[in-house]
Amino acid sequence: MKIGISTWVWTSPLRDEDVARLVPHIAALGFDWIELPIERPAAFDYAQAARLIEVHGLGVSVCAVVGADRDLSHPDAAVRANGMAYLRHCIEAAQLLGAPTVVGPLYAAVGRTWRMGTEERARLLDQIAAHLRELAAYAAARGVALAIEPLNRFETSVINTVAQALELLERVDHPACGLLLDTFHMNIEERAFDQALRQAGAYLRHVHACENDRGAPGSGHVPWTEVGTALRAIGYHGPLVIESFAAEVAAIARAAAIWRPLADSPDALARAGLRFLREHPALLGTAA
Amino acid sequence: MKIGISTWVWTSPLRDEDVARLVPHIAALGFDWIELPIERPAAFDYAQAARLIEVHGLGVSVCAVVGADRDLSHPDAAVRANGMAYLRHCIEAAQLLGAPTVVGPLYAAVGRTWRMGTEERARLLDQIAAHLRELAAYAAARGVALAIEPLNRFETSVINTVAQALELLERVDHPACGLLLDTFHMNIEERAFDQALRQAGAYLRHVHACENDRGAPGSGHVPWTEVGTALRAIGYHGPLVIESFAAEVAAIARAAAIWRPLADSPDALARAGLRFLREHPALLGTAA
């Protein structure tokens, strides 16, 4: 069972010195996996990070950070083109890093929400799917896969639920484009964790294991037994990655709406979350 | 046990013809209570509504709608003064309507979020508390009480949790200022429903009974047995009011981030929610 953590728990954006510090630190804490958000292209050296990650025996995933100027759902073709360029960069970074997946809300900018009619929505999904299909091929050629993440209603109006993600994935229709589910968002949007995970089924390539308030897994009310049982039922093989955000770092706290510390320290959150996930009977043996 | 519903499930903003239609309709559906949001002061006739509500044997509460121009936490004194004038109007409306409570996020505008340090936060709570104490006295003199509502992190950065609300209420220190808890927001922000409700204790004057996705109570994963048991343990006597939002009404759907219908129709949501709450064994006998 591979349990990972995002560097967002400690800092943002990542620079070479953060990678040099956090890769050994995360390995020493006992994690099997590290997730690296790419906020600014080439802000750290991917090949150098890859060597360090390999030395420390960690798995790795790349998290795409989709802001207003990189939005595949935007009406302006230049913004979409910029989104494509950014996501191709993330795929290349994943290849250099040895990461099997580029994950995140690849389909739309975080924080842009608007009301859509059924037809507008169908046209938009077609548009996004065409972009994602092209990216999936680009990724597959480099041994990388995409995992798109439904977000809660306050962060996007495009894909909030597994059911909506499947509408998009069926349009994309490429084996290198799957699904990331994050228990923080699921807790708001899904009527039942169990059903949503089973509905995701073989599409599920990545899981963000987060508490309902973004605190350490196990500190809130996410039904982990139900989650673990469903993950086992669908034969999930990917990692469980703790994603939370350092309340101390202004830019990330603002972006993720973190207004209070969710643990005594980033390390305390990491340690408590890891221990809980590692020892949870329903999660034991879930992931590969 | 009084079970209520907000007119927001059907429409917004309320006009006289909506009141004339919805009061009999909500009574006929079997509810005991109606909640009336006041978006525009005097957009409907309070005395006339009061007569209709009395004829139909309903209890009633007033929901304050706190937008950017009515914000008690705003740095601009004119905006705060406008907020005070608006909330005094809501209190007068409650008195005319025969409503015991004015409820809602009275302390800050919905949708305004920003990062605060500990000292800035303490100063802000002092400022808000002074305003709320004045309003509580104004309300008490009219037989009305206030119930402030913590909102989730995407809608406010001022009060997200019961613990934070208590910090404010202790500063207000007036018996006519209590707490409203909404299970939708609690689901995101509270580590345990049970603990949060017990912490609220005697401060709790009002409950919004909502599913995790704002659908009909019972259709999602809110732990209603835990909620009902805790409400009974603290001797809660107020109503349980279903608050959801008509996905069909553009302004309200946008304001509440409702991007998909949460039931087949407003009536279907109301009927299913009422039946569930009425028949739930842990909720039976909870409220007066």
Side-chain angles (χ1 to χ4, degrees):
Chain A
M1 175 177 207
K2 292 213 191 306
I3 299 180
I5 193 159
S6 168
T7 54
W8 266 335
V9 169
W10 288 272
T11 194
S12 165
L14 271 191
R15 300 153 308 170
D16 278 322
E17 55 266 43
D18 304 311
V19 172
R21 175 175 62 97
L22 287 174
V23 170
H25 184 60
I26 285 170
L29 285 169
F31 286 93
D32 314 302
W33 193 280
I34 188 170
E35 189 156 296
L36 304 175
I38 296 189
E39 275 139 334
R40 302 174 197 161
F44 62 94
D45 182 317
Y46 303 132
Q48 193 178 304
R51 281 191 296 275
L52 197 60
I53 287 166
E54 199 186 4
V55 164
H56 287 277
L58 296 175
V60 56
S61 42
V62 164
C63 184
V65 184
V66 184
D69 60 338
R70 308 169 171 167
D71 183 347
L72 298 189
S73 68
H74 202 278
D76 183 339
V79 175
R80 298 200 299 275
N82 196 44
M84 291 295 282
Y86 168 72
L87 291 168
R88 278 192 296 268
H89 175 88
C90 288
I91 291 164
E92 292 156 13
Q95 185 182 20
L96 287 169
L97 285 161
T101 37
V102 172
V103 310
L106 314 179
Y107 50 83
V110 179
R112 196 164 75 91
T113 59
W114 74 102
R115 202 161 171 260
M116 268 178 285
T118 312
E119 281 179 32
E120 182 190 348
R121 183 180 174 77
R123 275 196 307 275
L124 180 69
L125 293 186
D126 285 340
Q127 172 194 303
I128 299 169
H131 287 311
L132 287 178
R133 197 177 313 113
E134 194 184 322
L135 286 173
Y138 193 81
R142 285 156 183 81
V144 175
L146 310 175
I148 65 164
E149 179 183 22
L151 300 181
N152 73 73
R153 62 192 64 191
F154 302 105
E155 299 192 326
T156 188
S157 52
V158 178
I159 305 287
N160 299 133
T161 64
V162 170
Q164 292 174 335
L166 294 185
E167 285 182 72
L168 178 56
L169 289 174
E170 283 160 13
R171 283 168 155 94
V172 175
D173 191 26
H174 193 293
C177 190
L179 194 53
L180 152 61
L181 291 177
D182 179 317
T183 50
F184 174 79
H185 299 301
M186 294 181 78
N187 177 59
I188 301 174
E189 300 297 345
E190 302 292 348
R191 292 185 167 177
F193 283 83
D194 170 74
Q195 256 179 271
L197 289 163
R198 286 172 193 261
Q199 204 180 356
Y203 281 111
L204 192 63
R205 285 183 170 272
H206 203 75
V207 171
H208 281 165
C210 307
E211 207 38 90
N212 61 284
D213 65 350
R214 286 273 181 218
S219 64
H221 62 71
V222 166
W224 294 105
T225 299
E226 184 179 332
V227 168
T229 306
L231 288 175
R232 209 155 43 207
I234 63 171
Y236 176 68
H237 292 302
L240 300 180
V241 175
I242 298 174
E243 186 188 58
S244 188
F245 305 95
E248 302 79 10
V249 181
I252 200 172
R254 258 186 233 112
I258 305 294
W259 314 123
R260 60 185 187 275
L262 299 168
D264 290 341
S265 68
D267 281 7
L269 191 152
R271 282 202 184 89
L274 176 63
R275 193 170 50 235
F276 176 82
L277 294 175
R278 193 76 90 195
E279 294 172 4
H280 196 291
L283 293 168
L284 286 173
T286 302
Chain B
M1 175 177 205
K2 293 214 189 308
I3 299 180
I5 193 158
S6 167
T7 54
W8 266 334
V9 170
W10 288 271
T11 193
S12 167
L14 271 191
R15 300 153 306 170
D16 278 322
E17 55 266 43
D18 303 312
V19 172
R21 176 175 62 96
L22 287 174
V23 171
H25 184 61
I26 285 170
L29 286 169
F31 286 93
D32 314 303
W33 193 281
I34 187 169
E35 188 156 296
L36 304 175
I38 296 188
E39 274 138 334
R40 300 174 197 163
F44 63 94
D45 183 317
Y46 303 132
Q48 193 178 303
R51 281 190 297 275
L52 197 60
I53 287 166
E54 197 184 8
V55 165
H56 287 277
L58 296 176
V60 56
S61 42
V62 164
C63 184
V65 184
V66 184
D69 60 337
R70 308 169 171 167
D71 183 346
L72 298 189
S73 69
H74 203 278
D76 183 338
V79 175
R80 298 200 300 275
N82 196 44
M84 290 295 282
Y86 167 72
L87 291 168
R88 278 192 297 267
H89 175 88
C90 288
I91 290 165
E92 292 156 13
Q95 185 182 22
L96 287 169
L97 285 161
T101 37
V102 172
V103 309
L106 314 180
Y107 51 83
V110 179
R112 196 164 76 91
T113 58
W114 75 103
R115 203 163 169 260
M116 267 177 288
T118 312
E119 282 180 31
E120 183 190 347
R121 183 179 175 77
R123 276 196 307 275
L124 181 68
L125 293 187
D126 285 340
Q127 172 194 303
I128 299 170
H131 287 311
L132 288 178
R133 198 178 312 115
E134 193 185 323
L135 287 173
Y138 192 81
R142 285 157 183 80
V144 175
L146 309 176
I148 65 164
E149 178 183 24
L151 300 182
N152 74 73
R153 62 192 63 191
F154 303 105
E155 299 191 327
T156 188
S157 52
V158 178
I159 305 286
N160 299 132
T161 64
V162 170
Q164 292 174 335
L166 294 185
E167 284 182 73
L168 179 56
L169 289 173
E170 282 160 14
R171 282 168 156 94
V172 176
D173 191 26
H174 193 293
C177 190
L179 195 53
L180 153 61
L181 291 178
D182 179 316
T183 50
F184 174 79
H185 300 301
M186 294 180 78
N187 177 58
I188 301 174
E189 300 297 344
E190 302 292 348
R191 293 185 167 177
F193 282 83
D194 171 73
Q195 256 180 271
L197 289 164
R198 286 171 193 261
Q199 204 180 355
Y203 280 111
L204 192 63
R205 285 183 171 272
H206 203 76
V207 171
H208 281 166
C210 307
E211 207 37 91
N212 62 285
D213 65 350
R214 286 273 180 219
S219 64
H221 61 71
V222 166
W224 294 104
T225 299
E226 185 180 330
V227 169
T229 306
L231 288 175
R232 210 155 43 207
I234 62 171
Y236 176 69
H237 293 303
L240 299 182
V241 175
I242 298 174
E243 186 188 57
S244 188
F245 305 95
E248 303 78 12
V249 181
I252 200 173
R254 256 185 235 115
I258 304 294
W259 314 123
R260 60 186 188 274
L262 299 167
D264 290 341
S265 69
D267 281 7
L269 191 152
R271 281 203 185 89
L274 175 63
R275 192 170 50 237
F276 176 82
L277 294 175
R278 193 76 91 195
E279 293 172 4
H280 196 290
L283 293 169
L284 285 173
T286 301

